[in-house]
Amino acid sequence: MKRLLALMMAILMVCMVSACSDNGNKTSSKSAESSGGADTSEGADTSSTGGNSEASGEVAELDFMFWGGAEEKAAVEQIVEKFNTEYDGKIHVTPQHVPDEYAQKLSSMIAAGDAPDIAYVPSGSCVPYAMDGTILFVEDALGDDTAFLDGILENDQWKVEGKTAFLSSAHETLMITYNKDIFDELGVDYPPTKYEDALTWDEFSELCKKLTVDRNGNDATSPDFDPTNVKHYGFSTSFGINNWYPMLRSMGSDILTDDDSNTNFDSPEMIDLMTKLQNLMVEDHVSPSVTDVSSNPDPTELMLTGQVAMIIDGNWSFITYAEEDFNVGCTFLPDMGNGSYTISAPGVTAMFSSTKYPDEALEFYKYSLDTEKGATDLYQNGLWQPIYKEYYTDPDKIAFWAETGTRPEEFVSVVVENIEKNVCLMPTQFITDYSQIGNVLNPAIDAILRGESKPEDALKEVQETINSSGFYK
């Protein structure tokens, strides 16, 4: 059963807060048998009263496993050090940084009965772990402390069977970032900073042409433009599903049919969207080819080196731009007809039901997610966004993390003021085994963007393959 009832609750909540019920993430009539976060492992205790170290007088030893680059590693270790000092003699946390092959290592540890007490969890593993009892549900651990969850953004509460299983490690927002110096050099106005003024596709496409310039100084609107000798392109992105899916949603469509009975990759809207993206590369030459993007898969690096003027990017890149003293701006993804959409693409922090100390694990869990107790530097330096509602409504709290000089001045009007508007969940969050579908879809999209396939033919073949293979039932 592919669309999980649990996630339907989360998706409904996202739709409600984004005030877009006619185009929101769809609910499903399909149900799923689940442990609902209940304890299914021998000796585990998911209640909020078990495993209390204070009662026994012993120090609770906890392991916290996480991924991340150098900045995140240093910040997390600082969180742990502060926590250990504050809870000296009561709780001690040992950080375990795993920079590579994280999902495989976590899976192996769980299989061996040696799961950490708290850990980052890859999004594709979250629901399976919740359903088989591996995860200690946050809501179960909290017990009667419902006020805590009331303060968390709805789309950062991952729900299974109607209960919050885990929370986002930090909020993530997808947007378009751009090189202000290129805009200034060409005398092109910056894109809109108010939601209602978000660029339409035609306006966005025209802007891409103005920003694409050959080495003779001709932009892509000129009949003398030389697409074989481009100085910098107007736009680039990896074109993974998280980058184009919000635009499909903005067109009033989805990758599942209205009744949730099948995938919908050959819909008229999907064909239209892929045609538009193909034209950017093949006809208009305002975006690097798939081959060029594949050889340098980091769009942020392309922008930092002046090879592109705009990219689809996430808030996590602002730390890099700040370190490089890069003159960056941000704006909305194009409005394809139903308002600009974005996507929530966070990692997750979870507690594990095998922990000997659920109360103490919860203490550290809450501490690590606290914007001002935890990794303060990562919020202020541009890597993370808070998951707490008050940090998007209280002017002083907004200033604490969003107005520190590491993000562009328009960040508040583009991101903060629209934090729960038209937010999509990642397809991997609501389709089980999406990887099988991706193995069929991704090569077809690559062929489309290379100009080797017609969108309607390639997407029809994708849908037929999925139908015959039973990847989605």
PDB file of all heavy atoms in Angstrom, residues 281-298:
ATOM      1  N   MET A 281      16.534  24.445 -22.298  1.00  0.00           N
ATOM      2  CA  MET A 281      17.845  23.914 -22.650  1.00  0.00           C
ATOM      3  C   MET A 281      18.060  23.805 -24.158  1.00  0.00           C
ATOM      4  O   MET A 281      19.105  24.200 -24.671  1.00  0.00           O
ATOM      5  CB  MET A 281      18.017  22.514 -22.023  1.00  0.00           C
ATOM      6  CG  MET A 281      18.197  22.518 -20.515  1.00  0.00           C
ATOM      7  SD  MET A 281      18.551  20.839 -19.930  1.00  0.00           S
ATOM      8  CE  MET A 281      19.074  21.193 -18.253  1.00  0.00           C
ATOM      9  N   VAL A 282      17.069  23.257 -24.846  1.00  0.00           N
ATOM     10  CA  VAL A 282      17.269  22.846 -26.238  1.00  0.00           C
ATOM     11  C   VAL A 282      16.964  23.948 -27.241  1.00  0.00           C
ATOM     12  O   VAL A 282      17.703  24.141 -28.222  1.00  0.00           O
ATOM     13  CB  VAL A 282      16.417  21.594 -26.544  1.00  0.00           C
ATOM     14  CG1 VAL A 282      16.584  21.171 -28.000  1.00  0.00           C
ATOM     15  CG2 VAL A 282      16.806  20.452 -25.614  1.00  0.00           C
ATOM     16  N   GLU A 283      15.900  24.709 -27.004  1.00  0.00           N
ATOM     17  CA  GLU A 283      15.501  25.734 -27.970  1.00  0.00           C
ATOM     18  C   GLU A 283      16.038  27.122 -27.600  1.00  0.00           C
ATOM     19  O   GLU A 283      16.591  27.825 -28.434  1.00  0.00           O
ATOM     20  CB  GLU A 283      13.979  25.786 -28.100  1.00  0.00           C
ATOM     21  CG  GLU A 283      13.392  24.576 -28.809  1.00  0.00           C
ATOM     22  CD  GLU A 283      11.936  24.775 -29.169  1.00  0.00           C
ATOM     23  OE1 GLU A 283      11.416  25.899 -28.989  1.00  0.00           O
ATOM     24  OE2 GLU A 283      11.308  23.809 -29.631  1.00  0.00           O
ATOM     25  N   ASP A 284      15.869  27.487 -26.329  1.00  0.00           N
ATOM     26  CA  ASP A 284      16.259  28.835 -25.914  1.00  0.00           C
ATOM     27  C   ASP A 284      17.723  28.922 -25.502  1.00  0.00           C
ATOM     28  O   ASP A 284      18.288  30.024 -25.470  1.00  0.00           O
ATOM     29  CB  ASP A 284      15.382  29.306 -24.750  1.00  0.00           C
ATOM     30  CG  ASP A 284      13.913  29.389 -25.135  1.00  0.00           C
ATOM     31  OD1 ASP A 284      13.630  29.566 -26.338  1.00  0.00           O
ATOM     32  OD2 ASP A 284      13.056  29.277 -24.235  1.00  0.00           O
ATOM     33  N   HIS A 285      18.322  27.813 -25.150  1.00  0.00           N
ATOM     34  CA  HIS A 285      19.746  27.758 -24.746  1.00  0.00           C
ATOM     35  C   HIS A 285      20.043  28.703 -23.582  1.00  0.00           C
ATOM     36  O   HIS A 285      21.104  29.311 -23.517  1.00  0.00           O
ATOM     37  CB  HIS A 285      20.655  28.112 -25.939  1.00  0.00           C
ATOM     38  CG  HIS A 285      20.419  27.250 -27.129  1.00  0.00           C
ATOM     39  ND1 HIS A 285      20.846  25.945 -27.203  1.00  0.00           N
ATOM     40  CD2 HIS A 285      19.780  27.518 -28.314  1.00  0.00           C
ATOM     41  CE1 HIS A 285      20.490  25.429 -28.372  1.00  0.00           C
ATOM     42  NE2 HIS A 285      19.846  26.356 -29.065  1.00  0.00           N
ATOM     43  N   VAL A 286      19.088  28.774 -22.629  1.00  0.00           N
ATOM     44  CA  VAL A 286      19.288  29.662 -21.479  1.00  0.00           C
ATOM     45  C   VAL A 286      19.711  28.893 -20.233  1.00  0.00           C
ATOM     46  O   VAL A 286      19.873  29.475 -19.159  1.00  0.00           O
ATOM     47  CB  VAL A 286      18.015  30.478 -21.187  1.00  0.00           C
ATOM     48  CG1 VAL A 286      17.670  31.370 -22.370  1.00  0.00           C
ATOM     49  CG2 VAL A 286      16.846  29.566 -20.820  1.00  0.00           C
ATOM     50  N   SER A 287      19.881  27.584 -20.381  1.00  0.00           N
ATOM     51  CA  SER A 287      20.312  26.732 -19.276  1.00  0.00           C
ATOM     52  C   SER A 287      21.351  25.753 -19.802  1.00  0.00           C
ATOM     53  O   SER A 287      21.246  25.303 -20.947  1.00  0.00           O
ATOM     54  CB  SER A 287      19.107  25.966 -18.693  1.00  0.00           C
ATOM     55  OG  SER A 287      19.500  25.173 -17.595  1.00  0.00           O
ATOM     56  N   PRO A 288      22.363  25.426 -19.014  1.00  0.00           N
ATOM     57  CA  PRO A 288      23.364  24.456 -19.464  1.00  0.00           C
ATOM     58  C   PRO A 288      22.706  23.132 -19.825  1.00  0.00           C
ATOM     59  O   PRO A 288      21.656  22.770 -19.303  1.00  0.00           O
ATOM     60  CB  PRO A 288      24.287  24.296 -18.246  1.00  0.00           C
ATOM     61  CG  PRO A 288      24.042  25.478 -17.407  1.00  0.00           C
ATOM     62  CD  PRO A 288      22.629  25.899 -17.644  1.00  0.00           C
ATOM     63  N   SER A 289      23.333  22.391 -20.719  1.00  0.00           N
ATOM     64  CA  SER A 289      22.806  21.094 -21.123  1.00  0.00           C
ATOM     65  C   SER A 289      22.865  20.116 -19.968  1.00  0.00           C
ATOM     66  O   SER A 289      23.563  20.326 -18.971  1.00  0.00           O
ATOM     67  CB  SER A 289      23.615  20.541 -22.300  1.00  0.00           C
ATOM     68  OG  SER A 289      24.933  20.215 -21.870  1.00  0.00           O
ATOM     69  N   VAL A 290      22.107  19.029 -20.093  1.00  0.00           N
ATOM     70  CA  VAL A 290      22.129  17.985 -19.078  1.00  0.00           C
ATOM     71  C   VAL A 290      23.545  17.458 -18.893  1.00  0.00           C
ATOM     72  O   VAL A 290      23.993  17.185 -17.778  1.00  0.00           O
ATOM     73  CB  VAL A 290      21.172  16.835 -19.451  1.00  0.00           C
ATOM     74  CG1 VAL A 290      21.366  15.647 -18.510  1.00  0.00           C
ATOM     75  CG2 VAL A 290      19.728  17.314 -19.403  1.00  0.00           C
ATOM     76  N   THR A 291      24.283  17.351 -20.000  1.00  0.00           N
ATOM     77  CA  THR A 291      25.661  16.872 -19.921  1.00  0.00           C
ATOM     78  C   THR A 291      26.518  17.820 -19.106  1.00  0.00           C
ATOM     79  O   THR A 291      27.302  17.397 -18.245  1.00  0.00           O
ATOM     80  CB  THR A 291      26.264  16.722 -21.327  1.00  0.00           C
ATOM     81  OG1 THR A 291      25.468  15.802 -22.083  1.00  0.00           O
ATOM     82  CG2 THR A 291      27.695  16.217 -21.251  1.00  0.00           C
ATOM     83  N   ASP A 292      26.359  19.121 -19.337  1.00  0.00           N
ATOM     84  CA  ASP A 292      27.131  20.105 -18.579  1.00  0.00           C
ATOM     85  C   ASP A 292      26.769  20.069 -17.103  1.00  0.00           C
ATOM     86  O   ASP A 292      27.647  20.152 -16.231  1.00  0.00           O
ATOM     87  CB  ASP A 292      26.886  21.516 -19.133  1.00  0.00           C
ATOM     88  CG  ASP A 292      27.482  21.703 -20.524  1.00  0.00           C
ATOM     89  OD1 ASP A 292      28.408  20.944 -20.868  1.00  0.00           O
ATOM     90  OD2 ASP A 292      27.015  22.600 -21.243  1.00  0.00           O
ATOM     91  N   VAL A 293      25.477  19.944 -16.817  1.00  0.00           N
ATOM     92  CA  VAL A 293      25.035  19.905 -15.426  1.00  0.00           C
ATOM     93  C   VAL A 293      25.539  18.635 -14.751  1.00  0.00           C
ATOM     94  O   VAL A 293      25.968  18.650 -13.602  1.00  0.00           O
ATOM     95  CB  VAL A 293      23.492  19.994 -15.344  1.00  0.00           C
ATOM     96  CG1 VAL A 293      23.029  19.747 -13.923  1.00  0.00           C
ATOM     97  CG2 VAL A 293      23.017  21.362 -15.829  1.00  0.00           C
ATOM     98  N   SER A 294      25.515  17.525 -15.493  1.00  0.00           N
ATOM     99  CA  SER A 294      25.973  16.257 -14.914  1.00  0.00           C
ATOM    100  C   SER A 294      27.450  16.281 -14.583  1.00  0.00           C
ATOM    101  O   SER A 294      27.898  15.661 -13.618  1.00  0.00           O
ATOM    102  CB  SER A 294      25.675  15.105 -15.885  1.00  0.00           C
ATOM    103  OG  SER A 294      24.293  14.986 -16.131  1.00  0.00           O
ATOM    104  N   SER A 295      28.227  17.021 -15.386  1.00  0.00           N
ATOM    105  CA  SER A 295      29.661  17.081 -15.131  1.00  0.00           C
ATOM    106  C   SER A 295      29.991  17.987 -13.949  1.00  0.00           C
ATOM    107  O   SER A 295      31.053  17.883 -13.348  1.00  0.00           O
ATOM    108  CB  SER A 295      30.409  17.583 -16.382  1.00  0.00           C
ATOM    109  OG  SER A 295      30.007  18.911 -16.702  1.00  0.00           O
ATOM    110  N   ASN A 296      29.064  18.888 -13.618  1.00  0.00           N
ATOM    111  CA  ASN A 296      29.219  19.744 -12.438  1.00  0.00           C
ATOM    112  C   ASN A 296      27.863  19.814 -11.747  1.00  0.00           C
ATOM    113  O   ASN A 296      27.110  20.760 -11.946  1.00  0.00           O
ATOM    114  CB  ASN A 296      29.705  21.140 -12.827  1.00  0.00           C
ATOM    115  CG  ASN A 296      30.086  21.980 -11.616  1.00  0.00           C
ATOM    116  OD1 ASN A 296      29.804  21.614 -10.474  1.00  0.00           O
ATOM    117  ND2 ASN A 296      30.712  23.101 -11.851  1.00  0.00           N
ATOM    118  N   PRO A 297      27.528  18.780 -10.947  1.00  0.00           N
ATOM    119  CA  PRO A 297      26.160  18.659 -10.434  1.00  0.00           C
ATOM    120  C   PRO A 297      25.780  19.657  -9.349  1.00  0.00           C
ATOM    121  O   PRO A 297      24.652  19.640  -8.891  1.00  0.00           O
ATOM    122  CB  PRO A 297      26.150  17.231  -9.870  1.00  0.00           C
ATOM    123  CG  PRO A 297      27.575  16.960  -9.508  1.00  0.00           C
ATOM    124  CD  PRO A 297      28.401  17.691 -10.523  1.00  0.00           C
ATOM    125  N   ASP A 298      26.681  20.499  -8.911  1.00  0.00           N
ATOM    126  CA  ASP A 298      26.373  21.444  -7.846  1.00  0.00           C
ATOM    127  C   ASP A 298      26.022  22.808  -8.439  1.00  0.00           C
ATOM    128  O   ASP A 298      26.912  23.580  -8.813  1.00  0.00           O
ATOM    129  CB  ASP A 298      27.565  21.580  -6.903  1.00  0.00           C
ATOM    130  CG  ASP A 298      27.265  22.491  -5.715  1.00  0.00           C
ATOM    131  OD1 ASP A 298      26.131  22.984  -5.620  1.00  0.00           O
ATOM    132  OD2 ASP A 298      28.176  22.714  -4.896  1.00  0.00           O
TER     133      ASP A 298
END
